[in-house]
Amino acid sequence: AKRVLLTQYCWTDKSVMVCSINLVRVSQQYDDFMMFVTLFVLFGDDIRLISFPPSSDGAFSILNSIAFFLFLTEMFLNCWAKSDFSKGIRNVKGYMFSFFFWLDLLAVVSMVPDIDWLASTIGINILPGKGVGAKVGKAGKIGAKTGRVVRMARLVRLVKLYKITSQRRRERKML
């Protein structure tokens, strides 16, 4: 079983490091951990608002920052390990510039407003109550619609992770 796993995820023209990254990516513990991180990013802020005092905002901000860097690192490693750049940057095969690449990029970029220090650095932090009535109401409606779109992109990522996990479980049952 291990030999099949190694030959399935390690190609002869790739380096040992790429092989190692692919083996980590297919581990069940990694998938479970990233699914938990995705669930936290999706629902953590809502749980924080409902269940925790304002003094815990700093801890949630740190956890969101960690999740952001985990997703960014995963995306970078997927680009490196799952893409074939042999024909140049315009003819990349694999993960880079695929549908899932753009979906992951959208999910990572959508996290920027949720991370206070990053949003303030870029200058996109929104302070409620600082505007004039009609503008604030209109901005709130636009923000709510944008939030729903962003949540859908993150849910599609969660479905992708679920499909990968269930496929691997089926493969293990067959072995």
Side-chain angles (χ1 to χ4, degrees):
K2 288 203 180 235
R3 176 173 256 171
V4 171
L5 184 69
L6 285 172
T7 57
Q8 184 178 3
Y9 295 103
C10 299
W11 301 277
T12 56
D13 62 335
K14 296 279 186 168
S15 69
V16 174
M17 184 64 118
V18 170
C19 179
S20 301
I21 290 169
N22 283 328
L23 288 174
V24 168
R25 286 268 313 122
V26 298
S27 73
Q28 186 66 39
Q29 293 84 8
Y30 174 81
D31 284 340
D32 291 344
F33 175 71
M34 289 308 288
M35 191 170 294
F36 174 76
V37 172
T38 303
L39 284 170
F40 172 77
V41 168
L42 280 171
F43 304 112
D45 196 45
D46 296 330
I47 293 170
R48 176 188 61 87
L49 291 173
I50 293 170
S51 304
F52 292 91
S55 61
S56 64
D57 289 354
F60 276 88
S61 180
I62 291 170
L63 291 174
N64 273 334
S65 298
I66 291 169
F68 175 78
F69 286 114
L70 284 172
F71 288 146
L72 202 60
T73 302
E74 179 188 33
M75 200 172 140
F76 173 74
L77 292 176
N78 279 336
C79 288
W80 185 48
K82 293 184 171 185
S83 299
D84 180 18
F85 294 98
S86 63
K87 295 181 182 178
I89 193 73
R90 293 184 184 207
N91 296 320
V92 177
K93 302 284 186 214
Y95 176 77
M96 187 79 161
F97 305 126
S98 69
F99 171 74
F100 291 114
F101 168 81
W102 294 111
L103 187 68
D104 289 345
L105 183 64
L106 177 65
V108 168
V109 169
S110 73
M111 289 181 67
V112 171
D114 295 339
I115 302 169
D116 297 331
W117 63 269
L118 190 56
S120 64
T121 302
I122 296 173
I124 59 171
N125 55 342
I126 300 169
L127 299 173
K130 297 286 183 185
V132 182
K135 290 183 180 180
V136 172
K138 189 174 183 179
K141 289 178 184 178
I142 292 171
K145 288 179 182 179
T146 305
R148 286 192 290 270
V149 170
V150 166
R151 186 165 278 182
M152 283 305 299
R154 291 178 183 170
L155 281 172
V156 170
R157 175 178 166 69
L158 184 64
V159 168
K160 180 181 83 166
L161 286 171
Y162 174 75
K163 284 182 179 182
I164 291 170
T165 303
S166 62
Q167 178 185 2
R168 289 197 185 121
R169 286 184 182 149
R170 280 192 301 262
E171 288 174 358
R172 285 190 184 134
K173 286 181 181 178
M174 295 178 133
L175 295 176

